[in-house]
Amino acid sequence: AARAGFVSSMAGSEVGEAVSELHDLRRTFTERALMAGTDLVVRPLMREGATPEQVAAMTLGDAPPSGDLRRLRARRRELGIPDGDDAPLVVDPTGATVGVDALPLHLRKARSYQVGVDANTSICRGQLAARYGV
């Protein structure tokens, strides 16, 4: 929580000593959050009639302002991917623009990550309710 790192945070704890940091794991989860966030921003555009060609050509500045868009920009910053208004809306976790030909598969993957997030959220809420009455 204090950004001390996993090894420092676990030093002397009852669960034992940590031998390595979690940077790679953290990056993997941030990349998945980027994909899930892409789904949350792009799916409404597609529902409203945007074509794949239009979505592939859009920038972040073209997307309507929302909490989901703010979170998507934050994930991109964490990964070192441009997050300004002129940056492409749909990119892969490396920051490469996703073209119209690759867009359908990319959006299916993004949707599957969002479904996973929703499922995990539901499980965690159920466990919290059962354990703590929250």
Side-chain angles (χ1 to χ4, degrees), residues 48-73:
E48 292 173 11
T51 66
E53 293 78 13
Q54 290 170 323
V55 170
M58 291 177 99
T59 65
L60 287 170
D62 295 328
S66 68
D68 291 328
L69 182 60
R70 281 190 301 280
R71 285 185 292 280
L72 179 61
R73 287 179 189 262

Side-chain angles (χ1 to χ4, degrees), residues 5-19:
F6 185 65
V7 172
S8 294
S9 297
M10 297 305 290
S13 73
E14 62 186 54
V15 295
E17 299 293 319
V19 294

